[in-house]
Amino acid sequence: MIKFKGIAWSLHPLFVLIMLTSVITGYFIELLTLFAIVFVHELGHVIAARGFGWTIREVKLLPFGGVAEVEDGGSMPSREEAIVALAGPLQNVWMGMAAWTMGQLGWWSADWSEYVWRANAMIGLFNLLPILPLDGGKLMHAWFTRTFTFHQSLMWGARISLVLSGGMVLVSIVPALQAEGEGIQANLLVVGLFLLITNWTYSRHVPFLFLRFLTNRGLAASKSMARGVWALPIVVSKRHSVAAILRLFKRDSYHLIVIMEDEGSILAILPEQQLVEGFLSDGKADRAVSELFM
């Protein structure tokens, strides 16, 4: 692990395994090129995130990209998340175009030029698949948070990523089941299994991720009020549980909780901070919201 500019950079064990394999098979130069491509790809994410003032703790490099651990998960605007996610594949665009140009000008051999631009195309396009933690998965999550509640976006992101990564595993073994017997696509199988396990773990951690979102909600609410934004009301009955109301929160909105009596009169209007702080203070999510002010 190397720490640079306050960010810990490390190699995922999967990348280390591929490095060892490349040394044994004599493809070390190709591996170094792949490493450089992945590093620049991830550097694009880091520069964009730093530009928005994000705090990045660690970047773990994988053969097809990287995973960045940010400090304030869920509190950043969805627009920023989308831009940061796109910043990686955009690096592959200019690197691929540069490699192709080098070949056309005769500065690189045709074979090497083709290898580099194809590697960039493969990494860039693969990362745009709508599977977490790939860039396409993050774009999907950013879009979901603009359309659905934050809790729904976590759940649907995990479900879709599980289905697609499972499909990747199936596709990798289908050739071995056919009459021609072409064999298992080992690279696709390894990546598919990695994504499947990662998203299984992610799905199990959804409650923790939602809790982190709520914990950082106070900072996001302060920023919203400082800018002066329209509040999005959430209208509920006094018998609604705190947990049910929290799951109605949207990422890019500031909420006022309007609590209604059965006959239709307004019992109370709570700012979202009061609801979140009431939950975080004792963790009693199943109690009725009316208990917060009674």
Side-chain angles (χ1 to χ4, degrees):
M1 181 183 293
I2 299 174
K3 199 157 190 177
F4 180 71
K5 297 289 187 179
I7 302 174
W9 294 77
S10 62
L11 292 178
H12 190 275
L14 185 59
F15 209 149
V16 176
L17 179 62
I18 291 178
M19 289 177 68
L20 294 174
T21 304
S22 68
V23 172
I24 295 171
T25 56
Y27 285 95
F28 192 65
I29 298 300
E30 287 80 359
L31 174 73
L32 288 178
T33 303
L34 177 65
F35 176 84
I37 291 172
V38 168
F39 179 78
V40 174
H41 172 105
E42 205 59 29
L43 195 61
H45 291 310
V46 171
I47 292 172
R50 282 290 186 91
F52 287 123
W54 291 17
T55 301
I56 303 176
R57 294 177 178 173
E58 181 182 358
V59 176
K60 189 165 290 187
L61 298 179
L62 290 149
F64 48 81
V67 178
E69 181 184 346
V70 297
E71 190 169 280
D72 305 321
S75 64
M76 298 79 67
S78 57
R79 179 184 66 87
E80 292 183 8
E81 183 181 19
I83 293 173
V84 171
L86 284 171
L90 286 176
Q91 308 311 306
N92 297 117
V93 172
W94 75 258
M95 285 190 289
M97 293 178 62
W100 181 84
T101 302
M102 291 290 191
Q104 294 297 307
L105 295 175
W107 294 351
W108 285 0
S109 68
D111 289 343
W112 183 247
S113 172
E114 183 177 3
Y115 171 80
V116 176
W117 75 255
R118 281 183 178 274
N120 274 285
M122 178 188 70
I123 291 173
L125 291 174
F126 180 80
N127 269 278
L128 289 175
L129 291 175
I131 304 174
L132 292 165
L134 302 179
D135 300 331
K138 294 173 182 176
L139 286 170
M140 174 182 67
H141 182 257
W143 179 74
F144 278 174
T145 57
R146 293 184 68 88
T147 308
F148 307 116
T149 68
F150 191 79
H151 188 267
Q152 287 174 327
S153 71
L154 289 174
M155 296 297 296
W156 279 108
R159 291 167 182 166
I160 292 173
S161 297
L162 274 171
V163 169
L164 293 181
S165 53
M168 190 180 298
V169 172
L170 290 176
V171 169
S172 70
I173 63 177
V174 163
L177 303 177
Q178 295 176 339
E180 295 80 2
E182 296 180 8
I184 294 175
Q185 299 180 35
N187 291 338
L188 186 61
L189 176 61
V190 170
V191 173
L193 285 173
F194 167 77
L195 291 174
L196 184 62
I197 294 170
T198 299
N199 282 292
W200 173 256
T201 304
Y202 177 85
S203 66
R204 304 287 289 180
H205 287 172
V206 162
F208 166 75
L209 295 172
F210 185 63
L211 179 60
R212 189 173 71 163
F213 163 74
L214 294 177
T215 303
N216 293 323
R217 189 69 181 179
L219 177 62
S222 298
K223 290 180 179 179
S224 297
M225 290 187 294
R227 293 194 307 267
V229 295
W230 290 95
L232 182 64
I234 296 177
V235 182
V236 297
S237 75
K238 63 181 180 181
R239 288 186 295 274
H240 265 77
S241 69
V242 172
I245 300 172
L246 292 174
R247 289 177 181 174
L248 295 175
F249 278 24
K250 298 194 71 173
R251 181 182 190 173
D252 295 330
S253 300
Y254 179 81
H255 297 294
L256 291 175
I257 318 302
V258 181
I259 305 171
M260 307 291 292
E261 291 277 16
D262 294 336
E263 66 273 14
S265 60
I266 296 176
L267 178 63
I269 299 177
L270 303 180
E272 66 171 57
Q273 298 100 308
Q274 187 173 343
L275 189 69
V276 173
E277 289 169 6
F279 164 68
L280 294 177
S281 64
D282 56 22
K284 296 180 180 178
D286 294 330
R287 62 176 170 170
V289 65
S290 58
E291 294 181 24
L292 288 177
F293 51 88
M294 289 178 61

